[in-house]
Amino acid sequence: MPLAQLPETIESYRDRSWRREPDLRIEDPLAAERFIERVGFCAALTDSRRPGPSLYIAVCGRRDAHMPRNVQKDPESSLAWTIKDEVVRRGRVYYGKLRGNRSIFVARRLVPYFNALAGSHRARLQPGLSEDAQSILKVLRKEWEMASRDLRRASGIHDRYLFNKAIDELQKAFKVIPSEIVYDPVFTYIWSLAEARFQDELKAKVSREQALTEVARAYLSTAGMTLRGELARVTGLSNPDAGLGNWALVGEDFASRLAPGVYRLKELQV
Protein backbone atom coordinates (compact mmCIF):
# COMPACT_ATOMS: atom_id res chain seq x y z
CA MET A 1 0.00 0.00 0.00
CA PRO A 2 1.97 3.04 -1.18
CA LEU A 3 2.17 6.29 0.75
CA ALA A 4 0.27 8.06 -2.05
CA GLN A 5 -2.90 6.27 -0.90
CA LEU A 6 -3.09 8.08 2.42
CA PRO A 7 -6.47 9.83 2.78
CA GLU A 8 -6.27 13.59 2.32
CA THR A 9 -7.57 14.08 5.86
CA ILE A 10 -4.49 12.25 7.14
CA GLU A 11 -2.18 14.24 4.88
CA SER A 12 -3.74 17.43 6.25
CA TYR A 13 -3.26 16.14 9.79
CA ARG A 14 0.42 15.54 8.99
CA ASP A 15 0.69 18.98 7.40
CA ARG A 16 -0.15 20.47 10.78
CA SER A 17 1.72 18.13 13.08
CA TRP A 18 4.83 17.90 10.87
CA ARG A 19 4.77 21.63 10.04
CA ARG A 20 4.29 21.15 6.32
CA GLU A 21 2.39 24.44 6.02
CA PRO A 22 3.91 27.87 5.24
CA ASP A 23 2.58 29.55 8.39
CA LEU A 24 4.02 26.76 10.57
CA ARG A 25 7.50 26.55 9.05
CA ILE A 26 10.52 26.49 11.33
CA GLU A 27 12.87 29.45 11.20
CA ASP A 28 15.14 29.12 14.24
CA PRO A 29 16.74 26.51 16.58
CA LEU A 30 14.25 27.04 19.41
CA ALA A 31 11.33 26.30 17.11
CA ALA A 32 13.22 23.25 15.84
CA GLU A 33 13.68 21.93 19.39
CA ARG A 34 9.98 22.41 20.12
CA PHE A 35 9.14 20.58 16.91
CA ILE A 36 11.39 17.63 17.82
CA GLU A 37 9.85 17.46 21.30
CA ARG A 38 6.39 17.46 19.71
CA VAL A 39 6.99 14.71 17.15
CA GLY A 40 9.34 12.67 19.38
CA PHE A 41 11.85 11.91 16.64
CA CYS A 42 12.50 13.12 13.12
CA ALA A 43 15.01 13.04 10.31
CA ALA A 44 17.35 15.98 9.90
CA LEU A 45 17.66 16.64 6.18
CA THR A 46 15.44 14.16 4.32
CA ASP A 47 12.81 15.43 1.89
CA SER A 48 9.37 14.29 0.73
CA ARG A 49 10.80 11.22 -1.02
CA ARG A 50 11.16 9.54 2.38
CA PRO A 51 8.35 9.03 4.91
CA GLY A 52 8.24 10.60 8.34
CA PRO A 53 8.72 14.04 9.89
CA SER A 54 11.81 15.97 8.82
CA LEU A 55 13.46 19.17 10.00
CA TYR A 56 14.20 20.15 6.40
CA ILE A 57 10.56 19.74 5.32
CA ALA A 58 9.44 21.73 8.38
CA VAL A 59 11.85 24.53 7.44
CA CYS A 60 10.37 24.56 3.92
CA GLY A 61 6.80 24.47 5.25
CA ARG A 62 5.36 22.29 2.49
CA ARG A 63 4.72 18.59 2.01
CA ASP A 64 6.37 18.31 -1.43
CA ALA A 65 9.77 19.75 -0.44
CA HIS A 66 12.70 18.35 -2.44
CA MET A 67 16.33 18.86 -1.51
CA PRO A 68 18.12 20.57 -4.44
CA ARG A 69 21.42 19.32 -5.80
CA ASN A 70 23.24 22.53 -4.96
CA VAL A 71 22.32 22.94 -1.31
CA GLN A 72 24.87 25.70 -0.67
CA LYS A 73 23.01 28.15 -2.91
CA ASP A 74 19.50 27.19 -1.81
CA PRO A 75 18.17 29.37 1.05
CA GLU A 76 15.86 26.69 2.51
CA SER A 77 18.44 23.91 2.64
CA SER A 78 21.08 26.34 3.93
CA LEU A 79 18.75 27.45 6.72
CA ALA A 80 17.87 23.84 7.59
CA TRP A 81 21.57 22.96 7.73
CA THR A 82 22.36 25.97 9.94
CA ILE A 83 19.50 25.20 12.32
CA LYS A 84 20.51 21.53 12.48
CA ASP A 85 24.07 22.45 13.45
CA GLU A 86 22.90 24.86 16.15
CA VAL A 87 20.47 22.32 17.61
CA VAL A 88 23.33 19.80 17.77
CA ARG A 89 25.52 22.35 19.54
CA ARG A 90 22.81 23.25 22.07
CA GLY A 91 22.43 19.59 23.01
CA ARG A 92 18.87 19.75 24.30
CA VAL A 93 17.71 16.90 22.05
CA TYR A 94 19.57 13.76 21.01
CA TYR A 95 21.20 13.57 17.60
CA GLY A 96 23.04 10.69 15.99
CA LYS A 97 23.00 7.66 13.72
CA LEU A 98 20.80 5.12 15.43
CA ARG A 99 19.83 2.79 12.57
CA GLY A 100 20.99 2.79 8.97
CA ASN A 101 23.12 5.60 7.57
CA ARG A 102 20.97 8.64 8.39
CA SER A 103 21.18 10.68 11.56
CA ILE A 104 17.98 11.57 13.38
CA PHE A 105 16.88 13.82 16.22
CA VAL A 106 15.25 12.23 19.27
CA ALA A 107 13.41 14.07 22.05
CA ARG A 108 14.78 13.48 25.54
CA ARG A 109 11.63 11.66 26.64
CA LEU A 110 12.17 9.00 23.97
CA VAL A 111 15.92 8.46 24.46
CA PRO A 112 15.39 5.63 27.02
CA TYR A 113 13.20 3.75 24.54
CA PHE A 114 15.53 4.10 21.55
CA ASN A 115 18.44 3.14 23.81
CA ALA A 116 16.61 0.00 24.95
CA LEU A 117 15.90 -1.00 21.36
CA ALA A 118 19.51 -0.36 20.36
CA GLY A 119 20.72 -2.56 23.20
CA SER A 120 18.47 -5.49 22.31
CA HIS A 121 19.33 -5.16 18.62
CA ARG A 122 23.06 -5.01 19.34
CA ALA A 123 22.91 -8.02 21.65
CA ARG A 124 21.48 -10.13 18.83
CA LEU A 125 24.21 -9.06 16.39
CA GLN A 126 27.39 -9.23 18.48
CA PRO A 127 28.32 -9.61 22.15
CA GLY A 128 30.34 -6.39 22.43
CA LEU A 129 31.95 -3.44 20.72
CA SER A 130 34.64 -3.92 18.10
CA GLU A 131 38.29 -3.28 18.96
CA ASP A 132 38.32 -0.01 17.01
CA ALA A 133 35.17 1.22 18.78
CA GLN A 134 36.65 0.34 22.15
CA SER A 135 39.82 2.28 21.28
CA ILE A 136 37.84 5.42 20.47
CA LEU A 137 35.70 5.04 23.58
CA LYS A 138 38.79 4.70 25.76
CA VAL A 139 40.16 8.00 24.46
CA LEU A 140 36.85 9.86 24.89
CA ARG A 141 36.42 8.60 28.44
CA LYS A 142 39.70 10.28 29.22
CA GLU A 143 39.30 13.46 27.15
CA TRP A 144 35.45 13.78 27.09
CA GLU A 145 35.41 15.46 23.69
CA MET A 146 37.68 15.61 20.66
CA ALA A 147 37.63 16.53 16.98
CA SER A 148 37.60 13.71 14.41
CA ARG A 149 41.17 14.26 13.22
CA ASP A 150 42.61 14.35 16.75
CA LEU A 151 40.49 11.38 17.78
CA ARG A 152 41.76 9.30 14.86
CA ARG A 153 45.31 10.03 15.86
CA ALA A 154 44.77 9.44 19.59
CA SER A 155 42.92 6.15 19.01
CA GLY A 156 45.48 4.89 16.50
CA ILE A 157 42.85 4.40 13.78
CA HIS A 158 44.40 6.25 10.88
CA ASP A 159 42.22 4.75 8.14
CA ARG A 160 39.26 7.11 7.67
CA TYR A 161 36.86 4.34 6.61
CA LEU A 162 37.61 2.20 9.66
CA PHE A 163 37.35 5.23 11.94
CA ASN A 164 33.97 6.26 10.53
CA LYS A 165 32.74 2.67 10.80
CA ALA A 166 33.72 2.56 14.48
CA ILE A 167 32.13 5.97 15.14
CA ASP A 168 28.88 4.78 13.54
CA GLU A 169 29.00 1.68 15.73
CA LEU A 170 29.39 3.83 18.84
CA GLN A 171 26.55 6.12 17.82
CA LYS A 172 24.22 3.18 17.30
CA ALA A 173 25.26 1.88 20.74
CA PHE A 174 24.40 5.27 22.31
CA LYS A 175 28.01 5.72 23.44
CA VAL A 176 29.11 8.82 21.52
CA ILE A 177 27.37 11.79 19.92
CA PRO A 178 28.45 14.72 17.77
CA SER A 179 28.38 17.68 20.15
CA GLU A 180 29.38 20.33 17.63
CA ILE A 181 30.04 20.73 13.92
CA VAL A 182 32.91 23.02 12.95
CA TYR A 183 33.55 24.44 9.48
CA ASP A 184 36.52 26.74 10.04
CA PRO A 185 39.31 26.16 9.19
CA VAL A 186 38.06 22.76 7.93
CA PHE A 187 34.85 20.77 8.34
CA THR A 188 34.95 18.41 11.31
CA TYR A 189 32.79 16.89 14.02
CA ILE A 190 33.51 17.32 17.71
CA TRP A 191 32.70 13.99 19.39
CA SER A 192 31.57 13.61 23.00
CA LEU A 193 30.33 10.88 25.31
CA ALA A 194 26.56 10.52 25.07
CA GLU A 195 26.31 10.13 28.84
CA ALA A 196 27.75 13.62 29.31
CA ARG A 197 24.51 15.16 28.03
CA PHE A 198 21.95 12.38 28.53
CA GLN A 199 23.07 10.59 31.68
CA ASP A 200 19.65 10.19 33.28
CA GLU A 201 17.95 9.10 30.06
CA LEU A 202 20.60 6.48 29.31
CA LYS A 203 20.40 5.07 32.85
CA ALA A 204 16.64 4.54 32.66
CA LYS A 205 15.58 0.90 32.49
CA VAL A 206 12.68 0.02 30.21
CA SER A 207 11.64 -3.25 28.61
CA ARG A 208 11.91 -3.92 24.91
CA GLU A 209 8.14 -4.30 24.66
CA GLN A 210 7.59 -0.93 26.34
CA ALA A 211 10.16 0.66 24.07
CA LEU A 212 8.45 -0.64 20.92
CA THR A 213 5.10 0.60 22.17
CA GLU A 214 6.31 4.10 22.99
CA VAL A 215 8.19 4.55 19.72
CA ALA A 216 5.07 3.43 17.83
CA ARG A 217 2.91 5.75 19.95
CA ALA A 218 5.14 8.75 19.25
CA TYR A 219 4.96 8.17 15.52
CA LEU A 220 1.24 7.45 15.27
CA SER A 221 0.39 10.47 17.45
CA THR A 222 1.67 12.89 14.82
CA ALA A 223 1.33 10.74 11.68
CA GLY A 224 -2.34 10.02 12.34
CA MET A 225 -2.11 6.79 10.38
CA THR A 226 0.64 4.39 9.33
CA LEU A 227 0.70 2.30 6.21
CA ARG A 228 2.27 -1.11 5.83
CA GLY A 229 6.00 -0.98 6.53
CA GLU A 230 5.99 2.76 7.16
CA LEU A 231 7.02 2.72 10.84
CA ALA A 232 9.79 0.27 10.02
CA ARG A 233 11.15 2.49 7.24
CA VAL A 234 11.09 5.60 9.40
CA THR A 235 12.69 4.05 12.49
CA GLY A 236 14.88 1.29 11.08
CA LEU A 237 12.97 -1.32 13.09
CA SER A 238 12.16 -4.68 11.57
CA ASN A 239 8.62 -5.11 10.28
CA PRO A 240 7.76 -7.63 13.04
CA ASP A 241 9.03 -5.25 15.75
CA ALA A 242 7.12 -2.32 14.29
CA GLY A 243 4.04 -4.53 14.17
CA LEU A 244 4.44 -5.45 17.85
CA GLY A 245 4.52 -1.78 18.78
CA ASN A 246 1.43 -0.95 16.75
CA TRP A 247 -0.46 -4.00 18.01
CA ALA A 248 0.21 -2.89 21.59
CA LEU A 249 -1.46 0.43 20.77
CA VAL A 250 -4.50 -1.43 19.45
CA GLY A 251 -4.61 -3.37 22.72
CA GLU A 252 -4.68 -0.08 24.63
CA ASP A 253 -7.48 1.21 22.38
CA PHE A 254 -5.09 3.98 21.31
CA ALA A 255 -5.12 2.82 17.68
CA SER A 256 -7.39 0.98 15.27
CA ARG A 257 -6.16 -1.70 12.86
CA LEU A 258 -7.71 -1.06 9.46
CA ALA A 259 -5.87 -3.73 7.45
CA PRO A 260 -2.66 -5.79 7.74
CA GLY A 261 0.06 -3.30 8.68
CA VAL A 262 -2.31 -0.31 8.53
CA TYR A 263 -3.11 1.51 11.78
CA ARG A 264 -4.96 4.73 12.57
CA LEU A 265 -5.01 6.94 15.63
CA LYS A 266 -8.26 6.02 17.40
CA GLU A 267 -9.32 9.60 18.02
CA LEU A 268 -9.28 10.43 14.30
CA GLN A 269 -12.35 9.90 12.17
CA VAL A 270 -11.51 9.38 8.49
Side-chain angles (χ1 to χ4, degrees):
M1 192 173 186
L3 293 179
Q5 293 185 10
L6 277 172
E8 179 57 29
T9 51
I10 295 297
E11 290 285 13
S12 296
Y13 180 83
R14 293 183 177 193
D15 287 343
R16 296 187 298 273
S17 60
W18 292 353
R19 293 182 174 245
R20 303 187 311 188
E21 296 181 346
D23 59 336
L24 297 176
R25 63 180 178 268
I26 289 172
E27 298 178 331
D28 59 71
L30 181 57
E33 289 169 350
R34 290 172 176 166
F35 169 65
I36 295 162
E37 287 295 336
R38 169 73 178 92
V39 297
F41 58 93
C42 73
L45 299 171
T46 59
D47 62 19
S48 59
R49 290 169 289 188
R50 295 187 63 85
S54 164
L55 175 61
Y56 169 70
I57 294 175
V59 167
C60 295
R62 58 183 185 278
R63 71 170 72 162
D64 62 348
H66 275 63
M67 183 73 74
R69 291 187 177 182
N70 192 346
V71 297
Q72 290 83 3
K73 295 183 178 180
D74 178 70
E76 290 177 331
S77 55
S78 294
L79 178 59
W81 208 285
T82 300
I83 291 175
K84 182 262 296 181
D85 290 353
E86 181 61 15
V87 171
V88 170
R89 187 193 65 79
R90 287 158 64 97
R92 297 177 183 176
V93 296
Y94 200 97
Y95 178 76
K97 284 185 180 180
L98 306 187
R99 294 285 182 93
N101 294 319
R102 288 181 173 82
S103 295
I104 69 170
F105 287 107
V106 179
R108 279 185 176 271
R109 61 187 169 83
L110 287 181
V111 169
Y113 305 116
F114 275 94
N115 183 38
L117 294 176
S120 63
H121 178 71
R122 188 170 63 254
R124 293 196 296 269
L125 294 179
Q126 61 184 43
L129 295 171
S130 67
E131 184 176 339
D132 284 345
Q134 291 182 48
S135 296
I136 293 172
L137 196 56
K138 182 178 180 180
V139 173
L140 283 178
R141 281 176 173 161
K142 180 180 179 181
E143 302 294 339
W144 283 91
E145 68 175 22
M146 189 174 284
S148 293
R149 183 177 179 181
D150 296 332
L151 188 52
R152 285 204 311 270
R153 182 167 54 248
S155 62
I157 308 171
H158 302 292
D159 183 278
R160 189 183 299 270
Y161 170 79
L162 294 178
F163 175 80
N164 290 337
K165 182 179 178 181
I167 282 288
D168 286 355
E169 180 185 350
L170 288 168
Q171 288 187 81
K172 293 172 183 178
F174 279 78
K175 298 296 185 183
V176 305
I177 54 172
S179 58
E180 191 168 353
I181 303 167
V182 179
Y183 294 90
D184 186 22
V186 294
F187 171 82
T188 188
Y189 286 101
I190 306 297
W191 298 100
S192 303
L193 293 173
E195 64 188 49
R197 287 185 172 178
F198 301 92
Q199 184 176 24
D200 292 341
E201 291 81 3
L202 295 177
K203 282 184 176 180
K205 302 296 183 181
V206 297
S207 69
R208 183 170 176 273
E209 292 74 18
Q210 184 183 2
L212 290 171
T213 302
E214 294 309 315
V215 169
R217 188 193 311 279
Y219 188 71
L220 188 60
S221 294
T222 61
M225 178 177 175
T226 63
L227 299 180
R228 192 166 190 171
E230 184 179 352
L231 180 61
R233 288 195 297 275
V234 172
T235 60
L237 292 171
S238 67
N239 283 321
D241 279 350
L244 287 173
N246 282 321
W247 261 115
L249 298 180
V250 174
E252 293 181 12
D253 205 31
F254 185 85
S256 300
R257 182 177 180 271
L258 306 183
V262 181
Y263 301 86
R264 189 187 70 209
L265 192 61
K266 194 65 177 278
E267 66 186 45
L268 293 182
Q269 299 297 323
V270 180

